[in-house]
Each structure stands twice: as structure tokens, then as C-alpha cells.
Amino acid sequence: MSTENIHIVGGGIIGLCTAWYLKKEGCEVTIIDRNDFSDGTSYGNAGMIVPSHFVPMATPGVITQGLKWLLNSKSPFYIKPRLNLDLMQWLWHFYRSANEQQVEKAMPVLYELNERSKELYKVMAAENGFDFGFEERGLLMLYKTRKQAEEEEELAEKAHQLGIQADLLDYNGLKRLEPEMDMDVLGGIYFPGDAHLYPNLLMKQLVTQLKNLGVQFISNSSITDFDVKGSKVTTLKTDSGSTIPVENVLLSSGSWTGLLLKKAGEKIHLQDGKGYSVTLRDTNNRPRIPTILSEAKVAITPMGNDLRIGGTLELSGLSQKVSQMRVQGIIESIPAYYKNLDVSIADETPIWKGYRPCTPDGMPYIGKSDALTNCYVGTGHGMMGLSLGAVTGKLISELITGQKPMMDLHLFRLNRF
Ligand SMILES: Cc1cc2nc3c(=O)[nH]c(=O)nc-3n(C[C@H](O)[C@H](O)[C@H](O)COP(=O)(O)OP(=O)(O)OC[C@H]3O[C@@H](n4cnc5c(N)ncnc54)[C@H](O)[C@@H]3O)c2cc1C
């Protein structure tokens, strides 16, 4: 058992999962969040657990595609034009990472991370007090065009090389998996090893379980600065003027982590990838299997009786604005694939938004600060933060309690750019 005392800044999925594994090791844990642990990026996401997502976002073809998308106001990708040094540097490192060599290095690692995380969620789901809709029904990626079909065939080939089951299906094969759905597609790829869960339930149940285990929660408190003595953080300063003395700190503050680290004189490259989701209640006709509409980059996930639809990635500098055009783009794409899926949303239907913490190379930051010996960082999981939450929590808890991490953390180091 460990006697470490840790303050976690940020109670999203990374912060809560880390608290879960630290508590199991016997540590004293306090979680601080500027919100009240009821909403945020870790709640309204598409809930997919994705060993199928072993290819990082920065790939050789993505830059040309991204530039085309920038010209379309309903497309799934947008960069808010602005002269910002952090954005320019991020884009430069993204460009440098978008090469075959880097992708080859990343693929087996991303797969292992996701696979291990899925197994950890499976164990968590079986524990008393948890019932968050974890199901292993796989993932369908549907495509309409010949060009996309070629990309998916290439993806399936890469998956097979890594030993991942990926089934290329024609219309009849898809109909066998989704007999109730009327599809207008050329084909699809089915990853039977993927899973999904209801993130809002997972987050709520983790908070309850952690409180029961004695984890302290400080809500509505924003950390604005640190006191540093020698090479250690000694105090966290809050927006209300109070101070919190600390022994060890984990920064798992999602898309805001870079801003906090900057206060301590350390730089990581991180941009927020804003996305939207809509949750339709008690839907009747809907896919049984979580689906990605490949050309549209839209995710559709059955969650209990509800159906969640999510998409877009906007690098917009943490802007609060909801782009109705892009939300419309998400909704309008659905009947082009699932003809009988009714997705008409009423004016009052809430549009949820979240900020994916994106690194230039698609690998998370999991490790220790270079400058501060008692400061750990867990962020940068981009579009896979939910999927990788459990394994990240486990890895950071192993690091903090002085155990040998279950995976090599070299590719996740903070100073790799
Ligand atoms: C539309 C959409 C769909 C997605 N779908 C999926 C999916 O299907 N599968 C998947 O794996 N991932 C998905 N993601 C990505 C996933 O949601 C994120 O990667 C993940 O939630 C990030 O978790 P986090 O804990 O790092 O950050 P967050 O959830 O953002 O948590 C960070 C916390 O830190 C707090 N905080 C920040 N700054 C401070 C401060 N200074 N002081 C105190 N508190 C602070 C914030 O309030 C917040 O609660 C999706 C994202 C979006 C937007």
C-alpha cells in the first residue's frame, strides 16, 4: 500500500480514473474542479471504446482533406483563422508528424492502449455500484463512395497486420448485422472488438464510488497559479484567493492543461478540438451497433434507450460558440446513410459541446513534468479520451506510487516535440 498524498486538478475521465486506481493503492486523493462534476467533455461524448482507432489523426493524406474541408461551412473540420503562436506551432508539429514512419510507430501503441483500457473498463463494469451500459457490440464504419471504400480497405489491411479483426462487409453483410436499418451505402467495415458505454452514467457513478472510498472533492474552484519551491509545487492557488498545500499534483485539466503548465514555465503543444453532440431520448428505430459515418465523420451511439449523435472537430481557441451550420451538417448527414433513422431535432433540443485535448501527433501526454519533480500530467487524448481513460488512470497511478508502468511511456513524454 502507498501513503502518497495527491491533488488532482481536473475531474474529467482522466482525473477520476486516476483517482480510482490511486485509491486502490491506498493513496490520499483530492480532486479539484472549477465545475461541479456534472458536465463537461467527458460526459456528452460518443461513448465509444475504440481499439479500432489505432491510426493517429496526423496521417499523410489528412492535410489535403483538411484544406478542402476548411472551405465548407458544414464540413466536420474547421480552424478559426487567427494569428496565434501556439496554434502555428501546433500545426507545424502536426504537419511534421503526418508521415508514414510516425504512423507506423504509433499504431501498435494506440491499439495496445485501447485494448488494455477496454479490459480495465470491463473489470470496473463488473464491480458493485457500477452499471454504465458497457457493451461489446463492436463498431461499424459505413461508407458511400469508392474513394472511401479504398481507404477503409487499407485500414482493414493494417488492422489485420496488427492482429485486429476487421470485417469488410457488402450491403448484405451489413443487413445481417443491422436488419432493421434501411441503408444507402456502398459497404462498411466491422470491428467486433470495440465497445461502448454511457459516459454520463460512468462519470456519475465514478464520483459516487470515489466519495464512498474517501476521496475529497473540491468543486467550483479554479486553479489559477502555483507556488514553486526549488523543483516542487508547494501550493495551488484558487480563483477565490485561497491556497491549497500539496505534496504531489496531477494536471488532468483536459484542453486547459497547457495553460496551467505554462504558469510553471513548462510548454506542451495542445489544442482544443471542439465537437458537438445531441442526445435523442427514447428513440425507436435506431442502429444496434455504434456507427461512424465515414465520409461525414459522424458518430452514432445507442446508449440505453437513448441515441447520441456527435461530430465535428473545430480548432477554435476554446470558443464557447455553437456553430449551428456544423450541427446541421451532422444531422443532415444521417439519412444519407441510415434512410429510416429519424433525427429531426426540435429547436429546444440542447446542443452539447466539448473540447477534445488534441496533441499534434495523436499520442497522449502521460508522464512527469521535466521541471517539477512532484507534478504529473495526463492529457492530450484527443478523440479517444474516454476510451483511454481507464488505462491512463492506471498508468499514472503506477507512476505516482513508484511501480513499473504496465506499458512503456516513452512515446507519451511531455517534451517529445
Ligand atoms: C463530440 C465528441 C465526441 C467524442 N466521442 C468520444 C468517444 O466516442 N470516445 C472517446 O474515447 N472519446 C471521445 N471524445 C473525446 C473525449 O470526450 C475527451 O478526450 C475526454 O473527455 C477528455 O477527458 P479529460 O479528462 O482529459 O478532460 P475533460 O473531460 O475536459 O476534464 C478536464 C476537467 O478539468 C477541469 N479544469 C480545467 N481547468 C481547470 C482549472 N484551472 N482548475 C480546476 N479545474 C479545471 C475542467 O472543468 C474539466 O472538468 C469525444 C469528444 C467530443 C467533443
Side-chain angles (χ1 to χ4, degrees):
M1 292 298 261
S2 173
T3 53
E4 300 286 351
N5 187 314
I6 297 103
H7 282 75
I8 296 178
V9 183
I13 189 64
I14 303 301
L16 295 191
C17 282
T18 308
W20 175 253
Y21 294 108
L22 282 172
K23 203 60 206 167
K24 285 192 172 244
E25 293 295 330
C27 300
E28 286 300 314
V29 184
T30 303
I31 309 181
I32 307 157
D33 202 290
R34 59 167 177 222
N35 292 327
D36 65 356
F37 301 95
S38 67
D39 194 12
T41 304
S42 296
Y43 291 76
N45 61 64
M48 294 176 174
I49 308 297
V50 283
S52 61
H53 282 39
F54 56 87
V55 179
M57 193 164 67
T59 53
V62 82
I63 305 220
T64 326
Q65 177 63 69
L67 289 172
K68 283 186 200 152
W69 274 332
L70 284 179
L71 303 172
N72 177 354
S73 62
K74 287 187 182 174
S75 79
F77 178 66
Y78 172 69
I79 303 179
K80 184 179 169 190
R82 58 201 194 277
L83 271 179
N84 175 286
L85 184 61
D86 287 344
L87 175 65
M88 297 302 154
Q89 288 177 338
W90 189 95
L91 288 170
W92 169 244
H93 288 298
F94 183 90
Y95 169 73
R96 301 233 323 154
S97 304
N99 65 72
E100 281 302 340
Q101 211 184 355
Q102 176 67 25
V103 172
E104 288 294 323
K105 222 171 12 170
M107 286 193 312
V109 179
L110 284 177
Y111 173 59
E112 186 182 351
L113 268 180
N114 272 296
E115 195 57 33
R116 283 182 185 264
S117 211
K118 185 181 82 174
E119 293 308 313
L120 289 167
Y121 277 129
K122 211 190 281 188
V123 173
M124 199 187 280
E127 294 218 18
N128 274 342
F130 283 114
D131 182 10
F132 47 79
F134 178 86
E135 291 189 75
E136 290 180 277
R137 286 196 210 153
L139 175 79
L140 260 183
M141 297 173 88
L142 299 180
Y143 49 82
K144 291 178 71 68
T145 58
R146 195 58 244 156
K147 182 172 172 287
Q148 193 66 37
E150 279 162 22
E151 279 183 31
E152 303 300 349
E153 280 157 18
E154 219 177 285
L155 179 68
E157 182 55 40
K158 283 187 175 135
H160 296 153
Q161 282 164 13
L162 286 171
I164 305 168
Q165 191 180 340
D167 305 332
L168 282 167
L169 301 175
D170 60 10
Y171 184 81
N172 292 332
L174 291 169
K175 262 318 241 191
R176 275 193 289 279
L177 282 179
E178 288 288 5
E180 303 298 322
M181 300 312 293
D182 190 1
M183 288 171 260
D184 183 5
V185 297
L186 199 59
I189 174 168
Y190 179 51
F191 287 95
D194 278 22
H196 69 285
L197 54 80
Y198 207 144
N200 306 66
L201 294 180
L202 169 66
M203 294 297 288
K204 191 171 175 207
Q205 290 164 14
L206 265 172
V207 170
T208 306
Q209 294 290 330
L210 290 169
K211 282 184 178 166
N212 290 343
L213 289 171
V215 170
Q216 300 296 312
F217 280 75
I218 303 177
S219 52
N220 303 312
S221 199
S222 186
I223 299 304
T224 52
D225 209 347
F226 317 109
D227 276 333
V228 175
K229 254 199 201 120
S231 60
K232 286 195 166 179
V233 181
T234 53
T235 318
L236 301 177
K237 297 180 179 177
T238 75
D239 54 347
S240 64
S242 63
T243 53
I244 304 171
V246 294
E247 286 177 19
N248 295 288
V249 184
L250 166 65
L251 300 180
S252 52
S253 324
S255 293
W256 299 267
T257 309
L259 302 175
L260 274 177
L261 264 176
K262 230 181 214 175
K263 302 263 179 196
E266 194 154 351
K267 171 137 184 133
I268 52 170
H269 295 281
L270 199 64
Q271 287 291 315
D272 59 293
K274 187 168 57 177
Y276 306 109
S277 77
V278 174
T279 306
L280 306 175
R281 306 290 172 198
D282 299 319
T283 47
N284 294 321
N285 214 17
R286 65 211 183 104
R288 214 177 47 83
I289 300 171
T291 307
I292 290 179
L293 313 179
S294 290
E295 291 90 351
K297 305 282 177 258
V298 165
I300 303 176
T301 315
M303 294 180 183
N305 292 329
D306 302 336
L307 186 70
R308 183 164 290 168
I309 296 157
T312 83
L313 194 143
E314 299 177 22
L315 301 181
S316 56
L318 292 166
S319 137
Q320 293 286 318
K321 191 179 157 226
V322 171
S323 162
Q324 293 298 343
M325 286 298 271
R326 275 172 219 283
V327 175
Q328 218 176 310
I330 295 174
I331 300 300
E332 283 174 7
S333 70
I334 294 166
Y337 294 78
Y338 282 135
K339 288 194 279 185
N340 61 337
L341 180 56
D342 176 14
V343 286
S344 47
I345 58 166
D347 284 349
E348 63 275 12
T349 306
I351 309 294
W352 175 91
K353 63 177 181 313
Y355 302 88
R356 306 171 183 91
C358 299
T359 60
D361 61 356
M363 292 299 218
Y365 293 117
I366 303 174
K368 207 168 179 174
S369 145
D370 280 329
L372 305 164
T373 53
N374 62 343
C375 179
Y376 299 83
V377 174
T379 190
H381 299 76
M383 52 185 67
M384 292 187 283
L386 176 81
S387 190
L388 300 180
V391 74
T392 302
K394 182 92 177 111
L395 287 166
I396 298 172
S397 82
E398 288 167 343
L399 207 57
I400 293 179
T401 56
Q403 300 171 60
K404 185 175 183 314
M406 67 203 280
M407 279 179 72
D408 182 3
L409 302 182
H410 184 70
L411 288 180
F412 316 139
R413 67 198 187 282
L414 274 57
N415 63 359
R416 62 184 183 264
F417 296 105

